Amino acid sequence: MESYTLQLLHHLALTLVFAVYLSVSPTQQSIVPSIKTDAAALISFRKMIQKDPNGVLSSWQLNRNPCTWYGVSCSLGRVTQLNLSGNYLGGSISFDPLASLDMLSILKLSSNFFTVNSTCLLQLPYGLKQLELSSAVLVGLVPDNFFSKYPNLVYVNLSQNNLTGTLPEIFLSNSDKLQVLDLSSNNITGSISGLQIDVNSCNSLLHLDLSLNHLMDSIPITLSNCTNLKTLNLSFNLLTGEVPRSLGELKSLQILDVSHNHITGWIPSELGNACGSLLEFKLSFNNISGPIPSTFSDCSWLQLLDLSNNNISGPFPDAILQNLTSLENLLLSNNRISGSFPALISSCKKLRIVDFSSNQVLGIIPHDICPGAELLEELRLPDNLIEGEIPAQLSQCSQLKTIDLSLNYLNGSIPAELGMLEHLEQLIAWFNGLEGKIPPELGQCKNLKDLILNNNQLSGEIPVELFNCSNLEWISLTSNEITGKIPKEFGVLSRLAVLQLANNSLTGEIPVELGNCSSLVWLDLNSNNLTGAIPPRLGRQLGAKALSGILSGNTLVFVRNVGNSCKGVGGLLEFAGIRPERLLQIPTLRTCDFTRMYSGAVLSLFTQYQTLEYLDLSYNELRGKIPDEIGEMIALQVLELAHNQLSGDIPSSLGQLRNLGVFDASHNRLQGQIPESFSNLSFLVQIDLSNNELTGPIPQRGQLSTLPATQYANNPGLCGVPLPECRNSNNQPPVTPSADGDKKGHRLAAAAWANSIVMGVLISIASICILIVWAIAMRARRKEAEEYYQSFRCTAKGDVYSFGVVLLELLAGKRPTDKDDFGDTNLVGWVKMKVREGKQMEVIDPELLLVTKGTDEAEAEEVKEMVRYLEITLQCVDDFPSKRPNMLQVVAMLRELMPGSGNGSSNSG
Ligand SMILES: *[C@@H]1O[C@H](CO)[C@@H](O)[C@H](O)[C@H]1NC(C)=O
Ligand SMILES: *[C@@H]1O[C@H](CO)[C@@H](O)[C@H](O)[C@H]1NC(C)=O
Ligand SMILES: *[C@@H]1O[C@H](CO)[C@@H](O)[C@H](O)[C@H]1NC(C)=O
Ligand SMILES: *[C@@H]1O[C@H](CO)[C@@H](O)[C@H](O)[C@H]1NC(C)=O
Ligand SMILES: *[C@@H]1O[C@H](CO)[C@@H](O)[C@H](O)[C@H]1NC(C)=O
Ligand SMILES: *[C@@H]1O[C@H](CO)[C@@H](O)[C@H](O)[C@H]1NC(C)=O
Ligand SMILES: *[C@@H]1O[C@H](CO)[C@@H](O)[C@H](O)[C@H]1NC(C)=O
Ligand SMILES: *[C@@H]1O[C@H](CO)[C@@H](O)[C@H](O)[C@H]1NC(C)=O
């Protein structure tokens, strides 16, 4: 309080002095710049700022000295700095009023919500040295003569704006004082190869960032004139051509990032000359070919070498490693590097990550990586041609967290010594020839999260010691030769999310303790010799505590078996660093027909579902009833129980499984009727109840009757569409919507349309499959079995965009690339054009519109809903990936449109 009063007095004093200043004759004010004209300039600048949610500009009062105003700094009685960064200010501003601030040298307006036309950049005060205007919604072309107009500029940051057009060739030609230029994350297009840069114009330049634009053509060779450049970032553009040799003349370069472009050619050996000071070199995601030059041996300060995702070939030049003593990250995944694994890797004493994923590296893993490279944390070698045994000496790399050796030709047993790796989180070695037992010593790896050893020849029982690793999240031992029972100790693994033990020789009963695995969402036990009944509770239960972070950092592929060529629904594979096309070459997968349903990072909500999502118990010897409690696993999407000895009725509680996409209970001895509640299963894309002892009518509401007859074959008493009509009297009459009076009739009609788009979207696993069945209601009304439209499509690409294209295809009734319809563009372009023109109704398949003909009111409702579908779809195909919703959001939106999702809908439980 006291200091406040003091401050106030101080203010008053200043204000008095200031008031005296102000009383100087008004005619001089505009001629001789002074603190007074500065104040007036700032006030008129302030007038343009319409939004000031934090009220920071309330201190800007003409009766106070402007040097005390928020964000204003003075020197020698004049305003020299204005800093309003990060204050959520809004308004359409120009810099015209600031032009008279002739002593202003620093202007910081970053991170606000202004609208600034880039032509205003030419209204800035002449003496400006530092301009920070990133994330400030600067719009328009990059001004031609900017630096010739402001020769004093030293630091310019215009990143994260919407600068458009090309970078003028003379842009950098008068920038002899400029040290830092950041134009990253804008919308600058066109060629930069003709950029004029002479020695004078950039010998001060230290930092040039043009990343995340749409720049084209080759990297300008004139950049080599910027001899003091320390950081050059051209990443995430559309640059072509080769890496200029002349960059090798940049002797001070510390960071060179040209990743995510379309650069071709070899890495010039001259770059080795720029190596004296190079710390980071990134060329990833280009089309670079040829070998890694041995001149890199001079890069003794290099910490990061990222050449991943190119076409680099030839053996890795082992000898350079002797000199790369600072190297921490060696990232070479997705290339065609051949030859043996570099033996001298042990010279890199600071090495933390080695990634050779998806190359053609041969030979054995050297035994002496450690103690040399004893800081090694990640050893990633999946998808190579590595053979021999896993060296026990790896246990000396005591910091190891990740060992990924999948898809190689390793044999022998897993060394027990790996148990000494107390930091080990991931032991991933699926698809090799590993044999012998799982060493009980692995139980000492208290941090182990992923134990992924499917498709090997491991035998013996699952060691109980393993359950000391209480952090286990993903265990996959599918397709090995594991015997014995499933240990009941699995129940102690509270973070276990994925358990895959399929295709082994496990016997005995499924332990009821699996119901204690409170994070388990994926349980695949198919093709074993399991007996007994299905425990009523398995995996995650409703109300279980949310556990965060589980499986985060894993990269998944979910392959879905198609047809009956392989047992089980499919497999979830850890696919980090592996090329998707490698799936086709995997021998056992080659014998299965499969589609890749999802590949990518773990969806964030994957483990936040409330119950088990995937349950495959097929091909065992299970007996007894399907437990009623399975109907409580509300998140279940796959329920595969085929080829067992299950008997009794199908519990009608299963009708509560709203997310169920696959239900296969074929080849059992199930009896009774298909529960009427199954007509609520609107996400079902596959149901197979064939080869049972079922009787009675197939529910005609919902989507059961739209599926092929084969799915109901070999049941003695089933009848009704798609099977022959039921003979006996208990066949319900078809629904007559108008019979129940107008009000209800309307609701039914509206629901009917919604009902008629029945989509099966298998998320999270996350098959991007959708089934749309139109006008089932019409058919029911008219009893005309043919008059409906059914379409079922899948996309192998598990992304939202592809999903949007499929949705569009269905809504528009057109193929994505139909030249006759779309001219130069494609389906997506065509739809966007129509919608821009306000003609969205022309997009929707006329056949679908026909189907909706009903009462006018109902029809209007239905058309509205179709437009809503179209809107969701358009979000999926937005030009900017960042603006697209994620798959779960899409599904949530679609579900809002689903029957029974709104309030007051008829079916609740
Ligand atoms: C001024 O700028 C810096 C960043 O450059 C920022 O940290 C600071 O909060 C800004 N605002 C004020 C009122 O000084
Ligand atoms: C910026 O202003 C100029 C001249 O006033 C005008 O021609 C241009 O269209 C404006 N640009 C934008 C993006 O508003
Ligand atoms: C430019 O500003 C952005 C956002 O404030 C910041 O992240 C970036 O580091 C700045 N660039 C330079 C070169 O300082
Ligand atoms: C980039 O420019 C294009 C074409 O002018 C425009 O459609 C798009 O919105 C701009 N992007 C950003 C991020 O401003
Ligand atoms: C960016 O500017 C372009 C051209 O002025 C405009 O078409 C586009 O809508 C702008 N984008 C954003 C996100 O403001
Ligand atoms: C460097 O600048 C000089 C003029 O100072 C120019 O002649 C030369 O072409 C530039 N170098 C390159 C490689 O363009
Ligand atoms: C290692 O670097 C030094 C100087 O940086 C150089 O003289 C030597 O030839 C290099 N060694 C190898 C094997 O290239
Ligand atoms: C599993 O069952 C099959 C058929 O019932 C039998 O042939 C096989 O020997 C059994 N395997 C084991 C390990 O019990």
Side-chain angles (χ1 to χ4, degrees), residues 70-71 83 108 132:
Y70 177 87
N83 177 359
K108 300 184 183 181
E132 285 186 26

Side-chain angles (χ1 to χ4, degrees), residues 600-790:
V602 174
L603 292 162
S604 56
L605 292 178
F606 188 62
T607 50
Q608 285 174 27
Y609 281 109
Q610 294 210 285
T611 68
L612 209 61
E613 289 166 52
Y614 184 104
L615 178 59
D616 189 346
L617 302 176
S618 60
Y619 292 92
N620 278 292
E621 311 281 329
L622 299 169
R623 285 168 190 276
K625 278 197 64 185
I626 300 174
D628 284 340
E629 289 84 350
I630 289 189
E632 289 158 26
M633 299 182 183
I634 51 155
L636 205 60
Q637 301 186 30
V638 168
L639 179 56
E640 166 68 273
L641 303 170
H643 291 269
N644 277 293
Q645 318 276 337
L646 299 169
S647 56
D649 289 351
I650 300 175
S652 82
S653 64
L654 297 190
Q656 300 164 27
L657 300 175
R658 288 282 176 72
N659 296 315
L660 202 60
V662 174
F663 177 53
D664 188 347
S666 64
H667 295 271
N668 277 292
R669 289 184 281 130
L670 298 170
Q671 292 141 2
Q673 301 200 356
I674 301 175
E676 188 62 31
S677 63
F678 269 43
S679 34
N680 300 333
L681 299 179
S682 53
F683 277 72
L684 217 48
V685 291
Q686 185 193 329
I687 184 167
D688 192 346
L689 294 171
S690 64
N691 297 290
N692 275 295
E693 292 157 23
L694 297 168
T695 54
I698 293 169
Q700 296 297 296
R701 219 158 46 79
Q703 98 192 68
L704 291 192
S705 59
T706 66
L707 296 159
T710 49
Q711 313 303 96
Y712 302 100
N714 292 326
N715 280 288
L718 275 186
C719 59
V721 187
L723 297 180
E725 227 176 297
C726 298
R727 299 251 166 81
N728 26 11
S729 53
N730 62 354
N731 183 14
Q732 294 105 326
V735 198
T736 42
S738 51
D740 302 322
D742 257 11
K743 187 119 174 109
K744 195 161 175 213
H746 171 219
R747 221 182 60 196
L748 259 177
W753 188 82
N755 209 6
S756 68
I757 304 189
V758 182
M759 305 201 181
V761 185
L762 268 175
I763 33 142
S764 82
I765 4 173
S767 97
I768 307 300
C769 271
I770 84 175
L771 171 69
I772 298 198
V773 183
W774 304 91
I776 296 169
M778 291 296 290
R779 182 181 51 132
R781 248 178 266 159
R782 297 194 203 149
K783 291 211 80 184
E784 289 166 21
E786 297 323 310
E787 197 175 309
Y788 67 99
Y789 170 105
Q790 171 172 353

Side-chain angles (χ1 to χ4, degrees), residues 226-504:
C226 309
T227 45
N228 291 310
L229 206 57
K230 286 193 170 136
T231 301
L232 176 59
N233 189 349
L234 301 173
S235 60
F236 293 92
N237 277 293
L238 307 168
L239 297 170
T240 53
E242 304 191 359
V243 177
R245 287 162 199 284
S246 59
L247 290 188
E249 289 158 33
L250 299 175
K251 298 280 195 292
S252 305
L253 207 57
Q254 294 180 346
I255 298 177
L256 176 58
D257 188 350
V258 195
S259 59
H260 293 269
N261 277 288
H262 305 303
I263 305 285
T264 52
W266 290 25
I267 303 171
S269 59
E270 287 82 353
L271 272 186
N273 301 334
C275 250
S277 49
L278 204 62
L279 303 176
E280 293 185 9
F281 182 44
K282 289 196 204 175
L283 262 184
S284 54
F285 292 92
N286 278 292
N287 213 352
I288 304 276
S289 52
I292 299 171
S294 53
T295 51
F296 272 69
S297 60
D298 289 335
C299 312
S300 46
W301 299 105
L302 196 66
Q303 295 169 354
L304 169 69
L305 179 60
D306 185 357
L307 305 176
S308 58
N309 293 283
N310 278 293
N311 223 345
I312 292 169
S313 56
F316 185 85
D318 203 6
I320 69 171
L321 291 174
Q322 275 177 313
N323 258 12
L324 300 186
T325 46
S326 304
L327 198 64
E328 292 175 17
N329 297 310
L330 179 60
L331 310 178
L332 300 169
S333 62
N334 270 302
N335 279 294
R336 293 189 293 123
I337 296 170
S338 55
S340 49
F341 185 82
L344 292 176
I345 203 112
S346 55
S347 333
C348 304
K349 305 246 183 292
K350 300 207 169 138
L351 203 59
R352 293 194 308 108
I353 302 177
V354 175
D355 190 349
F356 274 90
S357 307
S358 287
N359 277 290
Q360 292 155 16
V361 176
L362 329 144
I364 59 164
I365 303 170
H367 291 195
D368 60 351
I369 294 181
C370 293
E374 65 187 350
L375 297 181
L376 195 66
E377 290 173 18
E378 299 182 17
L379 179 63
R380 297 184 182 272
L381 305 173
D383 191 11
N384 277 289
L385 307 169
I386 292 174
E387 55 192 22
E389 302 195 0
I390 301 175
Q393 293 85 340
L394 268 186
S395 61
Q396 295 180 30
C397 302
S398 59
Q399 303 301 311
L400 266 175
K401 286 185 180 159
T402 297
I403 301 176
D404 189 348
L405 307 171
S406 307
L407 278 162
N408 279 294
Y409 297 93
L410 293 166
N411 53 30
S413 52
I414 299 171
E417 288 83 349
L418 295 188
M420 291 153 65
L421 295 171
E422 55 178 321
H423 299 290
L424 194 65
E425 292 176 9
Q426 299 188 300
L427 179 57
I428 308 177
W430 62 273
F431 221 94
N432 277 287
L434 298 172
E435 54 203 15
K437 295 186 177 173
I438 299 167
E441 288 80 358
L442 285 184
Q444 300 162 21
C445 303
K446 295 286 189 300
N447 290 304
L448 198 61
K449 287 198 218 166
D450 297 337
L451 182 66
I452 302 180
L453 300 169
N454 49 287
N455 298 86
N456 279 291
Q457 284 132 42
L458 298 170
S459 55
E461 301 192 3
I462 301 171
V464 287
E465 289 81 356
L466 204 55
F467 302 104
N468 291 332
C469 308
S470 55
N471 288 311
L472 275 165
E473 296 176 356
W474 183 346
I475 299 178
S476 180
L477 299 173
T478 291
S479 295
N480 277 288
E481 291 154 20
I482 310 275
T483 54
K485 294 185 172 182
I486 299 176
K488 61 180 190 313
E489 287 82 358
F490 271 109
V492 305
L493 299 179
S494 62
R495 295 180 67 87
L496 187 67
V498 177
L499 177 58
Q500 296 172 296
L501 300 174
N503 198 18
N504 279 291

